[in-house]
Amino acid sequence: MAETLDKDVVVKAKEPLFGKVEKKLLKDPLNDNNPITVQVLGVCSALAVTSMVYPSFVMAVAVVFVCAFSSLFTSLVRNKIPPQVRMIVQLVIIATLVTIVELTLKRFQYPIYRQLTVYIGLIITNCIVMGRLEAFAMANKPWRSFVDGIGNGLGYGAILLIVAVIREIFGKGSLFAGSPLEMKLIGTTPDYFINTMADGSWFGWYANNNLMVLPAAAMFIIGVLIWIQRSYNPKLVDIS
Amino acid sequence: MYTTKYIFGFVFIMTSLVALVLSGLFMGWKDQSAINESIFNKRAILGAVNDHLGGKDAQTMGDEEVNAFFDKNVKQIALDMSGTELKAADVISSGYKGGKAEHIDMAKEKKKDEADRIIPLYVFNAGKEEFYIVTVIGNGLWDNIWGNIALESDMSTIAGTSFDHAGETPGLGAEIKDNPTFPARFKGKKIYNEAGEYVSIALKKTGAKASNPHAVDGISGATVTAVGVEEMLARGVKYYEPYFNSIKTTKKSGVRN
């Protein structure tokens, strides 16, 4: 498929900058070819970071950035990379971008840097980034690779946010905790966070569910999401 | 297709370029990053006495304000393990160029033998009363955890705390920092019992009674971090005991410094 894409461009010399192909590249990862639910890449970080919405959001933004630019740079030098060392080259590009993200945060947004250091490092090992470099950027032109990177980053981020919203509401009764937008949904005392049962003073009808805080919950939620997606999307029925 | 020479050349040029870009960025931003870090630490220290900042909140104060407020109201003392005050030259000879207590790197001290460590003490002057803010460090589940504990002038009652960590799990161990109710649990607890013995603060998994002055609630789902906090408090605050004892005796004998 990648080869034909390249030939298309050669035949029709005047392609619009954002034509059908680019639209498809951007839209596909959101549903038909979602990195988490269909390609099943990057599940590890989806399980680990999604206990709260805010870190998931920053993680998603960082992955979109790294995914897009590593695809762009890899694609720019794709014909010069010797195949023997191609994975090493890809890793160096990804690691460089991640380090740049880290240094930038440290310089301009120190508190967020302190909150996220571990996760930013984790992007290097995110399978989606390298998976897209191997599957797409190594065989396609820079602009399309860039769009593909953005699309896959968004597809990953979308699932991350859905899972995180469910987990944070039912696990902690809050939304966006730790960010300026922090919302307290269940309960009125500052005790909404955890240990609502501690001194017997729990409020209303709901006690926070600790299972939702633990990574196992993300596994169930992603499983259910895959189930729902497959029963709605006929294209996916016979894939696996 | 590609000769070995080409491969070596390609890799060499690529890594050199990357190294150049990254080291350039790192060096160019190093100073500002260090300032950010120092302000972040000062804010954490002031966060431990947040109730006594004269209506201000350490989290919402601007960077410059934190710096000025800290320098104006906080006296820094560097101590060795026997409770003797160290001079700036001693701190510098321990490897901290600035020579002040704020320059002491707790993570570095943690690697030394217990007897060789030096520890920072911050005395916060809130007008009417003084608070002694001690810094402790210990092990969480994945990496270091540390905290600032503010003691009232009786050197037993906790006026406030702030905790931080290098890599605890968000939603679980990271709650020691992210959840505002966790540091608040320590307020009013006492590290000495009525007989004057050092008992520290325990973190109870099943929940602590509000009437117990030496225990607080643990963190659900983060047993290892809670054990780490308990151990860090029991060991770390005790480091300051010789110094506190020396102040207590001077105060009793009526001699004021």
Side-chain angles (χ1 to χ4, degrees), chain A residues 51-52 79-85 89 92 96 99-100 103-104 106-108 110-111 114-115 117-119 172 190-191 193-195 198 210 213-214, chain B residues 2 6-7 10-11 14 18 21-22 25-26 29 32-33 36-37 40-41 146 164 166-167 170-172 175 178-181 185 217-221:
Chain A
S51 68
M52 282 154 95
N79 296 324
K80 305 271 186 295
I81 302 176
Q84 294 93 325
V85 292
V89 173
V92 169
T96 309
T99 316
I100 289 176
L103 286 174
T104 314
K106 201 174 173 183
R107 166 69 178 78
F108 296 102
Y110 194 81
R114 282 296 283 265
Q115 203 179 354
T117 27
V118 195
Y119 294 120
K172 290 169 181 296
D191 257 340
F193 239 116
I194 44 167
N195 262 352
N210 213 20
V213 177
L214 299 168
Chain B
Y2 291 100
Y6 176 86
I7 295 172
F10 183 89
V11 172
M14 182 189 67
V18 165
V21 170
L22 287 184
L25 277 183
F26 179 80
W29 288 345
Q32 185 58 42
S33 303
N36 289 347
E37 190 181 353
F40 188 87
N41 291 337
W146 59 93
D164 203 349
L172 300 173
E175 295 287 279
D178 298 340
N179 185 345
T181 67
R185 286 172 204 173
D217 290 350
I219 313 163
S220 42

Side-chain angles (χ1 to χ4, degrees), chain B residues 134-148:
Chain B
V134 307
T135 306
V136 293
I137 190 166
N139 294 317
L141 174 59
W142 304 113
D143 208 328
N144 287 342
I145 49 176
W146 59 93
N148 300 293

Side-chain angles (χ1 to χ4, degrees), chain A residues 4-183:
Chain A
T4 52
L5 273 181
D6 247 2
K7 275 173 198 158
D8 280 354
V9 184
V10 179
V11 177
K12 300 180 230 158
K14 270 192 185 174
E15 277 265 311
L17 190 62
F18 205 85
K20 253 187 189 164
V21 187
E22 281 80 9
K23 239 181 226 163
K24 192 168 151 41
L25 285 175
L26 207 56
K27 240 173 74 187
D28 259 8
L30 288 177
N31 188 359
D32 293 349
N33 196 20
N34 189 286
I36 293 181
T37 57
V38 181
Q39 299 175 44
V40 200
L41 290 175
V43 177
C44 12
S45 56
L47 298 186
V49 298
T50 51
S51 68
M52 282 154 95
V53 179
Y54 183 55
S56 313
F57 174 74
V58 180
M59 180 80 174
V61 172
V63 168
V64 170
F65 171 83
V66 172
C67 209
F69 282 93
S70 61
S71 287
L72 175 70
F73 289 131
T74 310
S75 177
L76 280 173
V77 293
R78 69 186 189 283
N79 296 324
K80 305 271 186 295
I81 302 176
Q84 294 93 325
V85 292
R86 93 182 173 278
M87 289 215 163
I88 299 170
V89 173
Q90 290 162 2
L91 262 184
V92 169
I93 292 175
I94 298 168
T96 309
L97 285 164
V98 171
T99 316
I100 289 176
V101 170
E102 202 171 333
L103 286 174
T104 314
L105 282 179
K106 201 174 173 183
R107 166 69 178 78
F108 296 102
Q109 283 296 332
Y110 194 81
I112 293 186
Y113 161 78
R114 282 296 283 265
Q115 203 179 354
L116 289 164
T117 27
V118 195
Y119 294 120
I120 292 178
L122 270 182
I123 300 172
I124 300 177
T125 58
N126 194 320
C127 334
I128 294 169
V129 183
M130 206 158 158
R132 291 323 289 174
L133 296 189
E134 271 289 284
F136 198 88
M138 286 300 284
N140 284 281
K141 295 210 160 169
W143 170 241
R144 286 189 175 170
S145 306
F146 185 71
V147 175
D148 178 76
I150 293 183
N152 276 281
L154 289 177
Y156 168 81
I159 298 293
L160 224 63
L161 285 180
I162 293 173
V163 177
V165 165
I166 297 174
R167 281 180 71 186
E168 194 174 336
I169 289 179
F170 291 106
K172 290 169 181 296
S174 63
L175 256 187
F176 301 106
S179 79
L181 286 168
E182 176 160 349
M183 278 183 242

Side-chain angles (χ1 to χ4, degrees), chain B residues 155-156 190-194 196-199 214 241 248:
Chain B
M155 285 158 235
S156 172
K190 291 183 192 308
I191 56 170
Y192 287 96
N193 67 12
E194 275 166 20
E197 288 158 341
Y198 181 80
V199 283
H214 308 299
E241 205 174 21
K248 280 177 194 162

